[in-house]
Structures are given as structure tokens and as C-alpha cells.
Amino acid sequence: CAEAIMMKRIPLKMVPALLVAALGVAAALGNEPGAELALLEQQGIRAEQNFAASMAARDFAAFHSFLAEEAVFFSGVEALRGKRAVAAAWSGYFDGAQPPFSWCPARVVVLASGTLAHSSGPVLNPEGECVATFNTVWRRGGNERWEVVFDKGEPGCPAVVECL
């Protein structure tokens, strides 16, 4: 039987490359394929929830901190372009003790690359009735922080909505 087992010698210079390849395969096998994407989606959900919480808490500075410098918010037929323009247009929504509306994410989907996320859900009036649906596109920056790049509300509500 000893003759049946053939040992091949691997040149010493090949060992580092083989070791790196073996570690890569081991790492890939150790991770669940959707685990990282699920984690990113949870981050997207928390970002949207915290963004909405800024309105509920009447915290304009927190709201402002979620906006990308090049954010675009659609307002009717016009688009508000840039963090300053969006902040200026939305500052009035933070006047008063009670928010004029609220929102919550019902669905968040993240690209496989983990760089962009789309969130959508109901916009509620002070009585808690759905009056519109929002759609927000988030970008994950180099600092791993999610920021709003596009936001648009549409009239109408889905028949059944459950917030995340």
C-alpha cells in the first residue's frame, strides 16, 4: 500500500500562495452567503428609523446629519438639490412641539455591494393615518455611515403596511 500513496513535493515558493488560497476558501465556507447582506439591511432599517426619530424628537440637527452633501429631495415637480437646500426647506417641519407627520420603514433592500439601500414605507398624519408613501435611497459612506441621497414622497398608501 505504501507504493500507492504518492507524495508530491510542493516547491517552497508556492506555499504562501497556497496558504492564502486555502484561507480564502475556509473563510468563504465559514460565512453564510446572506449574513453580511442581512446585517447591512438591519443597518439600513436602523438608519431609517433613526432618521424618522429625528422628526419625532424635533431634533433638526439630527435630521440634518443624515443628509448627504449632494442630497436630492423631490418636492412636487421641483427637486431640492444639496444638503443646504433640503435643510432650509425642511426646517419649518421642525417648528412646534408636535411633528406635522411621521414615517417608518416597511421595506429596506440593500445592493449586494452594500453601497446603496432603498427604504420605503408609510407617511402618517398626526392621527396615525397613512397619507403618503416615502421612498428613500441611502448611500453607505467610507465611514460606514448611511446617508440620504434621494428622497421622494408619493400620494397614496399600500393596503396593508407594517413597519419594521
Side-chain angles (χ1 to χ4, degrees), residues 1 34 66 68 105 116 131 143:
C1 279
F66 285 99
L116 292 175
V131 294
N143 59 0

Side-chain angles (χ1 to χ4, degrees), residues 84-119:
R84 293 174 77 184
V86 171
W90 276 64
S91 64
Y93 294 133
F94 288 83
D95 293 341
Q98 297 300 316
F101 57 88
S102 62
W103 70 93
C104 61
R107 180 140 196 227
V108 175
V109 179
V110 177
L111 288 180
S113 66
T115 56
L116 292 175
H118 175 268
S119 60

